[in-house]
């Protein structure tokens, strides 16, 4: 009764809690020993299908997962019971029939070949035998269902690897019992459509067992015939595609050659489908042509004497690429073909030189045609039509164009510089032809083709780029899409412009003009940023103009936040190449309005809207200082050597500005100390500046350390610790600048230790950053741990506590701290003493984590601690691990004393010096502790 109650709850109870409980209980019931008994009872004909289904599922689970529990002398009775039930359900519930077939399939896979030699032939024979109770069609459908699920069950079965190979070859031989039956059913005039459909599905399922293609030939031909029947079309497409696509098929070249004529024979049906707008049919036929071309182009190209029939197939695929209509609204087929062109090109270019030359002659014209077709497909629809597209359709079209762009870039390898020349000629003709004014769509597509190639391929040697740069200003820009592409094309040519600076003036005015148009925000700002980055040494003559235009658009608030940040980065690159007094003059005019705004905001009472304004201004400053680098740390060494400016004297302009605004920033902070985001934005300004300026930042160190100390003592925030870590990293080896950083480090540590006493659970981010700071200090400046006023024991205990946090990033950082601390036992006496006195507590925490307290993804990090303990405290570890493992049920109740002993011995064995082995031991042991060893969960682990 309990079982029926649970099933009733699962299917009919509206309460989700009850459903979940019932499901949990039923899943346990399915794997219990009683399942053998109750499964058959649930299959009684007086039960509803849901209950019968549960019974059939339980049988399948027992057979597939607990095969070893079934005594061999029960195989036969189990088999005949399943046959009986399948015959009974042949005219009954479809879902129950399928589950029973899956159960019998699983039984057959486990028994064949020894215990059930001709399993498939037996199945066919059993169902063909006359049985007066069940009509022939129902029996036929049940047999087809069984034969269809058998290969599917094989694909997902948990047979061990050696058995899989054995069973696969037995099944492949047994197709001799199946295929003749399928052929007969397909050819019979009176076979109803639903039977033929099942036959095709069954064939689809079997071909995935790597059956020789020539054995499938008759059925593939029959499937081609079925493509004429609208009812069978989809299933027939699947069958043909699956048969052609199996990896093994390329061995049967003669069969593949025989398949080309029937595929070409579909062209008339394809044309009619395109004419009548029947997208399903054109899609299906295209899939077949692509499957043959893409999977077997190498094998078919090898048959040189058949080059014409393969070329005909290639042309058929070209028709599919250029299928009329706009993707994705009027057609969804062309995108299927793009990978084919990659494959064909790779195969042609992989031949030895002579053969390659022959094929280049045949296929270069085809690839030039492909470029035309792709650029035609990449064209935008008319403005009116595009206006009706949904945002989802527009996004799909955008992605489709990116795929076309990638294909063009790839095709460049085959066609080379001639491709750029042909695009340039077409563009030139379009723009100079006064008789027939062209549509903007046509111009845009040609430019898009150019941009696709120039973005990734070095076009410096190309003789057409100067002409292109000359043509760009002649384009009459009438709409946003064209303007965007013009911008992105200029951006793609920024490296070329750096080598040909006289041409900058041809295009820079267009970019500055576009900056004022909110619709071109992304393209114009990213292009300006590229030009400022690549050409900065040639931009000083234009600097005043660029700064003025940028300032104007920033003040008018034309761009969204992220574009404003990019624009500031662009200006940072631009200013880096000027003389110091010029930089300061420009910085003054650029930053003053923001400083005035910030002064006003600092006097206001904090509220959400002025918070956003403050974060925005601080962000602008951070981004400016990210790229403003007069020492040119980021220049690549080869280029621009000649143009390098003399080394600047005097303080760094960024430092000058930071010192001017320092008090204002402190004032803002004093009001917003409670707000993590504002504090983070303040810290970001200094963090970006420190990263860019490195040693030049030194004059700021004392006042910044003092400010950070005050901030952190008042309200601890993770971003302040991260900035402290940055300072430790960069200035650790500078005796002159290190004292204030040391004082800050000790202050942050003592404040954080107090936080730990009050309860650190609410601040996993602070604990995480603190652990990273400690690890950085040990790495860069270990003698910080010699300071008399650093309580190493308290720091150690905090680390141990942090290992028990539920947040994985925090635990990972704590592991990182101990991995840095333990190697210092020898050189820093106070560290050695603390570890020797408290290491057992650390080991206890590590073992708890491994025992199941911590996420499995962290096991490698715990293993690092075990490895370090082993290496630096071996004599202690051997005592500690023994004592820890003697605790009952520790680190998990699931491991036996023997398993714990084995693990301890492994950890202390000679293999302990091999870090990879230690990680494997920890993984192995954690699975035992979690009761997951040898289950399906470990497969991906």
């Amino acid at each position: 009764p309990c079982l029926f109650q649970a099933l009733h709850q699962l299917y009919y109870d509206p309460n989700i809690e009850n459903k979940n409980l019932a499901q949990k209980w039923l899943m346990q019931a399915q794997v219990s020993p009683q399942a053998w008994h109750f499964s058959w009872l649930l299959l009684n004909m007086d039960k509803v299908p849901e209950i019968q289904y549960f019974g059939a599922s339980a049988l399948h689970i027992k057979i597939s997962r607990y095969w070893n529990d079934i005594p061999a002398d029960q195989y036969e009775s189990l088999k005949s019971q399943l046959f009986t039930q399948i015959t009974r359900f042949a005219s009954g519930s479809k879902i129950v029939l399928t589950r029973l077939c899956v159960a019998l399939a699983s039984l057959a896979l486990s028994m064949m070949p020894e215990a059930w030699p001709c399993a498939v032939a037996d199945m066919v024979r059993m169902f063909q035998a006359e049985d007066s109770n069940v009509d022939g069609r129902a029996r036929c459908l049940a047999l087809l269902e069984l034969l269809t699920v058998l290969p599917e069950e094989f694909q997902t079965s948990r047979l061990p690897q050696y058995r899989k190979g054995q069973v696969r070859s037995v099944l492949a031989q047994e197709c001799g019992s199946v295929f003749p039956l399928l052929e007969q059913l397909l050819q019979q005039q009176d076979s109803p459509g639903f039977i033929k459909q099942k036959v095709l599905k069954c064939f689809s399922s079997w071909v995935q067992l790597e059956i020789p293609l020539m054995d499938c030939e008759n059925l593939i031909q029959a499937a081609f015939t079925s493509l004429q029947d609208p009812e069978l079309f989809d299933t027939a497409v699947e069958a043909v595609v699956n048969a052609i696509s199996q990896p093994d098929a390329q061995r049967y070249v003669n069969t593949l050659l025989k398949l080309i004529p029937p595929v070409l024979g579909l062209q008339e049906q394809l044309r009619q489908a395109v004419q009548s707008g029947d997208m399903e049919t054109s899609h299906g036929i295209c899939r077949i042509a692509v499957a043959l071309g893409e999977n077997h182009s190498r094998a078919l190209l090898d048959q040189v004497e058949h080059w014409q029939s393969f070329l005909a197939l290639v042309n058929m695929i070209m028709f599919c690429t250029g299928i009329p209509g706009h993707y994705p609204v009027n057609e969804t087929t062309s995108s299927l073909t793009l990978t084919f062109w990659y494959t064909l090109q790779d195969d042609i270019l992989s031949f030895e030189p002579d053969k390659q030359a022959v094929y280049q002659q045949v296929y270069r014209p085809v690839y030039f045609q492909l470029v035309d077709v792709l650029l035609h497909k990449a064209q935008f629809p008319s403005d009116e039509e595009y206006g009706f597209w949904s945002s989802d359709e527009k996004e799909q079209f955008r992605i489709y164009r990116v795929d076309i762009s990638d294909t063009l870039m790839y095709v460049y390898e085959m066609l080379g510089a001639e491709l750029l020349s042909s695009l340039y000629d077409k563009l030139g003709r379009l723009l100079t032809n006064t008789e027939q004014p062209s549509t903007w769509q046509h111009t845009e597509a040609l430019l898009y083709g150019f941009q696709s190639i120039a973005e990734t391929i070095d076009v410096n040697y190309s003789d057409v780029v100067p002409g292109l740069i000359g043509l760009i200003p002649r384009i009459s820009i009438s709409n946003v899409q064209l303007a965007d592409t013009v911008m992105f094309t200029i951006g793609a040519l920024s490296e070329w412009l750096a080598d040909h600076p006289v041409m900058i003036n041809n295009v820079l005015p267009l970019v500055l003009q576009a900056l004022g148009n909110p619709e071109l925000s992304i393209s114009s700002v990213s292009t300006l940023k590229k030009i400022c980055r690549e050409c900065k040494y040639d931009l000083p003559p234009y600097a005043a103009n660029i700064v003025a235009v940028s300032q104007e658009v920033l003040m008018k608030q034309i761009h969204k936040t992220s574009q404003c940040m990019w624009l500031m980065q662009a200006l940072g690159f631009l200013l880096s190449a000027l003389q110091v007094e010029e930089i300061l003059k420009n910085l003054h005019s650029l930053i003053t309005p923001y400083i005035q705004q910030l002064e006003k905001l600092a006097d206001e009472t904090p509220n959400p809207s002025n918070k956003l304004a403050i974060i925005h201004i601080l962000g602008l400053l951070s981004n400016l200082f990210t790229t403003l680098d007069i020492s040119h740390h980021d220049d690549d060494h080869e280029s621009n050597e000649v143009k390098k400016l003399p080394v600047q004297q005097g303080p760094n302009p960024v430092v000058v500005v930071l010192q001017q605004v320092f008090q204002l920033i402190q004032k803002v902070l004093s009001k917003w100390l409670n707000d993590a985001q504002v504090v983070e934005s303040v810290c970001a300004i200094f963090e970006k500046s420190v990263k860019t300026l490195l040693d030049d930042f030194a004059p700021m160190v004392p006042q910044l350390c003092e400010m950070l100390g005050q901030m952190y003592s008042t309200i601890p925030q993770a971003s302040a610790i991260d900035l402290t870590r940055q300072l430790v990293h960069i200035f650790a080896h500078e005796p002159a600048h290190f004292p204030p950083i040391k004082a800050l480090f000790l202050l942050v540590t003592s404040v954080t230790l107090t936080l730990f006493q009050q309860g650190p659970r609410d601040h996993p981010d602070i604990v995480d950053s603190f652990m990273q700071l400690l690890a950085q200090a040990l790495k860069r400046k270990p003698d910080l741990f010699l300071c008399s006023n650093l309580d190493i024991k308290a720091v150690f205990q905090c680390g141990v506590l942090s290992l028990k946090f539920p947040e994985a990033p925090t635990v990972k950082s704590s592991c990182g701290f101990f991995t840095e601390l333990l190697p210092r036992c020898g050189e820093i006496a106070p560290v050695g003493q603390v570890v020797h006195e408290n290491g057992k507590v650390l080991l206890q925490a590590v073992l708890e984590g491994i025992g199941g307290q911590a996420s499995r993804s962290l096991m490698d990090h715990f293993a690092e601690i075990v490895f370090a303990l082993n290496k630096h405290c071996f004599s202690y570890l051997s005592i500690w691990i023994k004592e820890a493992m003697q605790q009952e049920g520790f680190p998990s109740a699931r491991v036996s004393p023997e398993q714990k002993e084995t693990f301890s011995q492994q950890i202390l064995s000679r293999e302990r010096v091999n870090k990879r082995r230690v990680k494997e031991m920890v993984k192995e042991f954690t699975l035992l502790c979690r009761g997951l060893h040898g289950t399906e969960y470990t497969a991906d682990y």
Side-chain angles (χ1 to χ4, degrees):
C2 196
L3 185 67
F4 293 116
Q5 199 181 339
L7 282 164
H8 193 272
Q9 270 181 337
L10 178 66
Y11 290 120
Y12 306 113
D13 195 321
N15 181 334
I16 197 77
E17 294 279 297
N18 294 350
K19 269 188 191 310
N20 290 342
L21 280 171
Q23 184 167 19
K24 210 167 174 186
W25 189 87
L26 287 165
M27 283 170 79
Q28 286 165 339
Q30 279 187 318
V31 300
S32 67
Q34 291 77 36
W36 284 120
H37 176 63
F38 70 66
S39 300
W40 304 108
L41 295 178
L42 296 182
L43 286 167
N44 275 344
M45 281 303 173
D46 58 351
K47 301 283 183 280
V48 293
E50 290 88 338
I51 287 180
Q52 296 170 332
Y53 177 83
F54 181 78
S57 286
L59 281 174
H60 172 237
I61 287 173
K62 295 299 277 185
I63 293 170
S64 61
R65 294 192 200 169
Y66 300 94
W67 177 249
N68 295 336
D69 300 352
I70 306 174
D73 58 8
Q74 285 183 24
Y75 291 170
E76 283 307 316
S77 69
L78 187 54
K79 183 165 81 180
S80 64
Q81 273 178 294
L82 280 168
F83 267 124
T84 310
Q85 291 291 352
I86 289 173
T87 313
R88 279 179 54 213
F89 276 93
S91 328
S93 161
K94 176 78 183 63
I95 56 166
V96 182
L97 173 66
T98 302
R99 280 331 286 159
L100 288 168
C101 288
V102 172
L104 180 57
S106 186
L107 178 83
L109 294 172
S110 297
M111 286 174 70
M112 65 176 56
E114 298 84 6
W116 190 357
C118 303
V120 180
D122 283 358
M123 292 174 185
V124 174
R125 209 177 45 252
M126 287 284 292
F127 282 94
Q128 283 182 323
E130 282 301 320
D131 180 335
S132 52
N133 299 338
V134 183
D135 86 307
R137 265 182 197 171
R139 271 209 322 279
C140 179
L141 277 173
L143 172 60
L144 287 172
E145 184 61 31
L146 178 58
L147 293 176
T148 305
V149 299
L150 186 62
E152 290 167 2
E153 180 66 7
F154 170 76
Q155 304 292 0
T156 56
S157 69
R158 297 179 182 168
L159 297 171
Q161 217 44 50
Y162 76 96
R163 282 275 298 143
K164 259 203 145 145
Q166 192 185 16
V167 173
R168 183 194 299 274
S169 59
V170 172
L171 282 173
Q173 286 160 4
E174 292 235 24
C175 79
S177 310
V178 179
F179 284 10
L181 169 73
L182 299 184
E183 285 168 36
Q184 180 195 342
L185 288 170
L186 273 181
Q187 280 149 7
Q188 266 172 9
Q189 289 305 308
D190 59 343
S191 282
F194 62 89
I195 295 254
K196 287 186 174 176
Q197 193 134 20
K198 275 309 292 173
V199 169
L200 289 166
K201 277 192 180 144
C202 183
F203 173 50
S204 261
S205 177
W206 274 80
V207 289
Q208 292 171 39
L209 294 170
E210 293 176 21
I211 289 166
L213 193 63
M214 50 200 227
D215 296 346
C216 308
E217 215 174 298
N218 294 346
L219 278 167
I220 295 175
Q221 295 292 358
F224 269 110
T225 313
S226 307
L227 289 168
Q228 302 307 317
D229 180 340
E231 193 191 345
L232 300 177
F233 181 83
D234 291 342
T235 326
V237 168
E238 285 305 324
V240 174
V241 168
N242 285 342
I244 294 176
S245 305
Q246 48 156 327
D248 194 46
Q250 57 203 24
R251 301 205 336 245
Y252 303 95
V253 179
N254 289 333
T255 307
L256 289 172
L257 287 168
K258 281 189 207 166
L259 291 177
I260 295 180
V263 173
L264 296 175
L266 297 171
Q267 286 179 102
E268 190 41 47
Q269 194 179 353
L270 173 63
R271 281 200 184 85
Q272 284 172 359
V274 169
Q275 260 169 351
S276 62
D278 173 357
M279 280 160 68
E280 277 71 30
T281 301
S282 49
H283 197 82
I285 293 175
C286 171
R287 279 184 60 201
I288 291 174
V290 169
L292 184 56
E294 198 177 305
N295 289 297
H296 306 298
S297 67
R298 177 73 208 221
L300 293 168
L301 281 167
D302 266 328
Q303 308 303 306
V304 182
E305 66 281 13
H306 293 278
W307 69 274
Q308 280 162 307
S309 71
F310 184 61
L311 181 59
L313 178 68
V314 172
N315 284 326
M316 179 175 175
I317 295 173
M318 180 78 79
F319 174 81
C320 296
T321 305
I323 208 157
H326 285 289
Y327 182 93
V329 176
N330 323 102
E331 62 93 5
T332 51
T333 298
S334 55
S335 60
L336 299 179
T337 64
L338 296 179
T339 336
F340 164 73
W341 298 109
Y342 285 76
T343 311
L344 178 61
Q345 176 176 316
D346 284 346
D347 290 337
I348 291 171
L349 296 179
S350 69
F351 284 124
E352 74 278 349
D354 297 348
K355 199 165 182 180
Q356 193 178 319
V358 174
Y359 275 128
Q360 283 263 20
Q361 224 175 339
V362 177
Y363 283 101
R364 269 179 80 84
V366 174
Y367 272 87
F368 272 113
Q369 185 194 346
L370 174 68
V371 171
D372 289 346
V373 167
L374 289 176
L375 290 177
H376 182 71
K377 292 296 292 181
Q379 283 187 27
F380 278 89
S382 70
D383 295 335
E384 188 187 3
E385 200 181 329
Y386 194 62
F388 286 116
W389 284 20
S390 68
S391 57
D392 188 37
E393 286 166 340
K394 287 177 178 172
E395 176 57 10
Q396 280 181 292
F397 181 58
R398 187 192 66 76
I399 295 167
Y400 174 67
R401 278 174 45 106
V402 172
D403 293 340
I404 286 180
S405 170
D406 292 344
T407 312
L408 289 169
M409 187 184 80
Y410 205 76
V411 167
Y412 180 84
E413 194 188 344
M414 177 102 156
L415 302 180
E418 208 184 320
L419 171 55
L420 287 179
S421 308
S422 102
L423 289 176
Y424 172 62
D425 292 343
K426 290 192 174 109
L427 192 62
R429 282 203 299 277
L430 263 191
L431 295 176
T432 51
N433 182 350
T434 43
E435 268 99 80
Q436 282 179 303
S438 62
T439 61
W440 70 261
Q441 285 90 340
H442 203 156
T443 311
E444 190 279 333
L446 283 168
L447 263 185
Y448 183 68
F450 226 107
Q451 173 213 325
S452 304
I453 294 159
E455 249 173 353
T456 38
I457 283 157
D458 178 11
V459 291
N460 273 357
Y461 60 85
S462 166
D463 49 359
V464 301
V465 177
L468 176 69
I469 297 264
L471 280 177
I472 284 178
R474 299 186 58 158
I475 297 172
S476 69
I477 295 181
S478 50
N479 84 334
V480 174
Q481 284 91 359
L482 176 57
D484 261 338
T485 302
V486 169
M487 282 304 115
F488 286 127
T489 306
I490 296 171
L493 295 170
S494 56
E495 284 181 43
W496 184 91
L497 288 167
D499 290 336
H500 305 81
V502 306
M503 303 297 267
I504 290 176
N505 203 25
N506 264 29
V507 290
L508 188 60
L510 290 174
V511 179
L512 294 179
Q513 191 190 343
L515 274 184
N517 182 344
E519 290 189 293
L520 304 178
S521 182
I522 292 177
S523 60
S524 61
V525 174
S526 68
T527 296
L528 183 66
K529 185 178 155 186
K530 279 181 176 175
I531 291 176
C532 290
R533 188 179 62 214
E534 300 300 335
C535 311
K536 61 182 169 195
Y537 297 109
D538 302 298
L539 292 179
Y542 313 104
N545 194 10
I546 296 175
V547 172
V549 173
S550 303
Q551 255 181 299
E552 191 189 344
V553 300
L554 283 167
M555 283 296 125
K556 285 187 182 164
Q557 298 182 330
I558 284 177
H559 301 290
K560 290 198 175 128
T561 303
S562 51
Q563 275 68 52
C564 294
M565 302 305 158
W566 289 359
L567 190 49
M568 279 301 203
Q569 288 179 21
L571 294 171
F573 285 125
L574 173 74
L575 297 181
S576 305
L578 304 180
Q579 297 297 330
V580 167
E581 55 277 13
E582 280 295 305
I583 298 180
L584 284 168
K585 205 170 77 188
N586 278 298
L587 278 177
H588 183 71
S589 74
L590 190 59
I591 291 176
T592 304
Y594 290 111
I595 300 306
Q596 289 165 348
Q597 261 180 305
L598 199 56
E599 281 170 339
K600 250 178 59 198
L601 291 164
D603 289 331
E604 294 175 11
T605 316
N607 68 48
S609 72
N610 57 22
K611 169 183 163 172
L612 284 177
I614 289 172
I615 289 177
H616 182 74
I617 293 172
L618 296 174
L620 292 173
L621 295 177
S622 298
N623 279 281
L624 179 62
F625 298 155
T626 304
T627 53
L628 208 172
D629 176 19
I630 58 171
S631 57
H632 312 299
H633 294 119
D634 68 343
D635 288 347
D636 36 10
H637 299 303
E638 315 72 8
S639 67
N640 301 327
E641 278 302 335
V642 209
K643 303 176 181 173
K644 274 265 169 104
L645 306 173
V647 177
Q648 312 281 357
Q649 293 308 310
N652 187 297
V654 172
V655 172
V656 174
V657 172
L658 283 176
Q659 283 175 328
Q660 285 168 357
V661 299
F662 197 81
Q663 274 181 306
L664 172 58
I665 288 179
Q666 277 184 300
K667 186 177 175 185
V668 170
L669 258 185
S670 64
K671 285 211 171 165
W672 289 89
L673 258 183
N674 267 318
D675 191 293
Q677 285 167 301
V678 176
V679 172
E680 209 171 300
S681 303
V682 169
C683 291
I685 291 186
F686 294 106
E687 196 171 356
K688 297 286 198 311
S689 310
V690 174
K691 275 184 177 164
T692 310
L693 301 178
L694 302 175
D695 304 341
D696 288 355
F697 187 82
M700 291 293 302
V701 167
Q703 59 202 110
L704 179 58
C705 287
E706 192 186 346
M707 181 179 96
L708 276 172
Q710 289 167 349
M711 267 167 65
Y712 195 73
S713 318
T714 319
I715 295 184
Q717 306 259 12
S719 46
I721 309 186
D722 295 335
L723 182 48
T724 307
R725 186 179 83 231
Q726 197 73 38
L727 293 169
V728 170
H729 176 70
I730 289 169
F731 292 102
H733 301 304
E734 301 275 340
H737 308 304
F738 202 67
I741 294 177
K742 175 178 169 180
L744 174 63
F745 173 76
L746 292 170
L747 176 71
V748 166
T749 303
S750 84
V751 171
T752 313
L753 291 178
T754 315
L755 186 79
F756 263 91
Q757 284 163 349
Q758 294 158 357
R761 274 298 310 112
D762 300 336
H763 308 286
D765 55 336
I766 292 179
V767 176
D768 183 350
S769 295
F770 180 55
M771 290 296 138
Q772 291 186 48
L773 170 66
L774 295 171
Q776 183 68 269
L778 284 160
K779 204 181 284 181
R780 300 283 294 171
K781 194 80 174 160
D783 40 357
L784 278 170
F785 278 68
L786 286 167
C787 303
S788 54
N789 45 357
L790 178 69
D791 186 345
I792 296 180
K793 181 177 177 183
V795 167
F796 185 91
Q797 287 166 333
C798 291
V800 172
L801 266 179
S802 314
L803 284 176
K804 302 179 181 182
F805 269 49
E807 291 82 4
T810 306
V811 179
K812 183 178 166 183
S813 301
S814 317
C815 291
F817 159 59
F818 284 113
T819 312
E820 291 294 338
L821 183 81
L822 295 169
R824 309 272 178 226
C825 284
E827 65 196 81
I828 306 175
V831 168
Q833 191 187 344
V834 166
V835 170
H836 297 155
E837 288 169 7
N838 303 274
K840 186 179 166 188
V841 188
L842 169 63
L843 179 69
Q844 181 92 5
V846 168
L847 290 172
E848 277 171 23
I850 296 170
Q853 291 298 314
S855 154
R856 263 169 49 202
S857 63
L858 293 162
M859 289 307 112
D860 276 357
H861 302 287
F862 279 103
E864 296 267 0
I865 301 183
V866 174
F867 180 76
L869 280 168
N870 231 324
K871 193 168 176 181
H872 303 285
C873 327
F874 180 68
S875 53
Y876 288 91
L877 178 66
S878 41
I879 300 165
W880 294 336
I881 197 164
K882 205 172 195 167
E883 291 177 358
M885 290 298 197
Q886 274 167 355
Q887 304 166 79
E888 182 104 2
F890 179 89
S892 154
R894 289 198 177 88
V895 281
S896 66
E898 295 75 36
Q899 289 170 319
K900 294 202 285 190
E901 178 58 28
T902 308
F903 176 64
S904 308
Q905 283 173 354
Q906 278 182 325
I907 289 293
L908 301 170
S909 71
R910 279 220 183 104
E911 287 195 282
R912 67 175 193 272
V913 296
N914 178 340
K915 193 184 281 186
R916 190 179 54 83
R917 269 300 289 136
V918 173
K919 287 182 177 176
E920 285 168 8
M921 294 168 194
V922 167
K923 272 188 181 166
E924 194 76 6
F925 188 62
T926 196
L927 290 172
L928 289 170
C929 290
R930 294 164 199 263
L932 297 175
H933 200 268
T935 64
E936 67 222 75
Y937 293 107
T938 58
D940 55 341
Y941 187 47

